[in-house]
Amino acid sequence: RRNAMDALQHSIAGALEAEQRKTQVNDAKLRAVAQRVDYDEFCKMVAGAHLKPVKPCSAESRDISRPFDQFVLPKYEPATDSVDRHSTRKVEHDAEPPAFSQPSSSHEFLRTWRRSCRAQAERLRYLRVLDIDTLPMLFRTEMDPLLLDAFVDTLHVAVCKREPSGDGSAEAAAIAQQAPLALWAVRLLAGLARVNRFDATLNFAAGPTTDKLKRIFAAAASHAPAEGVAGNGELDAAAVAALASKFGIRDVVEGRGVV
């Protein structure tokens, strides 16, 4: 009889463990889908679904476990005074801007984008370090429409928004500085257009994104060199117009595109 009770308890414990494992895996899958990670990151999150956060016993163990923070939730934070922690972060943020480098995966890009690119200036700096030719590989599966909205908003602010100035020479200098930025912006958009399932991404983009794209292409058209004159990977006026049509924008009007 005792053996029967032990077997029953063992069976119940096994069933509970299997159900818990099933729930953990299911939660990890839902979390991976919500974060729109690629297949490799999806497999990692599912494989680590059963892991539990632990308190680092030393600074060395904390540094070792830091690369795995995104797989185990919630992340452990050392107990410190909240006021001092926030003030320290603010001082560090004000003292030195974050250093950006070319991301190796979409997961790494999104992590840096969300954590370190809060302001428009930081977003623009991060976009500037991207290798445009590798964008289709960076976003191998597809691109989130919300991320496209953020990209276009950042480019729109950088290329099209300029404070009016009464000084004619200052205004001319600002326009001259905007020219290479506008041409780089359309090159970045050309790289995004090569991403897998980009047509679907564009269809689900927010309404204001189309208006911002019109202004960006208009600004680029006003600075683009004549057909056959462009060099160093630049797009000439005809190429800018052709690219605009891929984004559903017809009859690009050449102008400054300034709001």
Side-chain angles (χ1 to χ4, degrees):
R1 184 175 180 178
R2 188 169 185 177
N3 290 337
M5 289 296 295
D6 291 342
L8 180 60
Q9 289 179 351
H10 181 75
S11 177
I12 294 175
L16 290 175
E17 183 179 357
E19 182 65 25
Q20 182 182 20
R21 172 67 175 171
K22 181 180 178 181
T23 302
Q24 291 171 338
V25 170
N26 186 60
D27 291 343
K29 290 180 179 179
L30 294 176
R31 192 163 60 247
V33 171
Q35 296 178 9
R36 297 177 181 270
V37 300
D38 57 27
Y39 181 75
D40 293 337
E41 298 299 334
F42 179 89
C43 293
K44 291 179 182 178
M45 293 181 70
V46 173
H50 63 289
L51 299 178
K52 297 180 180 179
V54 294
K55 294 184 179 181
C57 58
S58 65
E60 182 180 1
S61 63
R62 184 185 62 219
D63 294 337
I64 293 174
S65 63
R66 183 171 290 124
F68 304 96
D69 286 344
Q70 65 269 25
F71 303 119
V72 183
L73 297 176
K75 178 184 175 183
Y76 171 74
E77 295 268 354
T80 56
D81 182 73
S82 59
V83 176
D84 292 339
R85 183 172 68 250
H86 290 303
S87 61
T88 302
R89 288 179 179 176
K90 186 177 186 304
V91 171
E92 292 177 352
H93 177 76
D94 294 340
E96 183 178 354
F100 298 123
S101 60
Q102 171 70 19
S104 59
S105 66
S106 60
H107 179 73
E108 180 183 346
F109 172 83
L110 290 174
R111 183 176 55 191
T112 303
W113 182 266
R114 291 167 179 166
R115 292 181 180 180
S116 304
C117 301
R118 303 294 179 86
Q120 289 285 359
E122 293 168 345
R123 291 185 172 188
L124 181 63
R125 285 201 308 112
Y126 193 29
L127 292 181
R128 294 284 279 179
V129 305
L130 297 181
D131 184 354
I132 295 177
D133 294 333
T134 63
L135 288 178
M137 292 298 298
L138 185 62
F139 302 103
R140 277 182 284 185
T141 306
E142 62 181 350
M143 187 177 187
D144 189 339
L146 294 178
L147 187 59
L148 175 63
D149 294 336
F151 273 36
V152 173
D153 182 64
T154 302
L155 297 177
H156 177 255
V157 171
V159 173
C160 301
K161 287 193 175 182
R162 186 176 69 249
E163 294 295 331
S165 174
D167 188 347
S169 59
E171 186 78 6
I175 293 175
Q177 292 178 355
Q178 264 187 324
L181 188 59
L183 296 178
W184 165 81
V186 293
R187 286 184 58 233
L188 180 67
L189 292 174
L192 294 179
R194 295 164 48 220
V195 172
N196 188 36
R197 301 184 61 188
F198 183 76
D199 291 341
T201 300
L202 188 61
N203 288 336
F204 286 101
T209 295
T210 302
D211 294 333
K212 294 174 182 178
L213 284 169
K214 289 180 181 178
R215 294 174 180 268
I216 293 172
F217 280 113
S222 67
H223 298 300
E227 185 174 358
V229 181
N232 298 324
E234 290 184 347
L235 301 179
D236 57 28
V240 171
L243 179 62
S245 66
K246 291 184 179 180
F247 283 80
I249 299 172
R250 310 294 178 184
D251 301 327
V252 175
V253 178
E254 296 188 5
R256 297 300 181 191
V258 178
V259 297

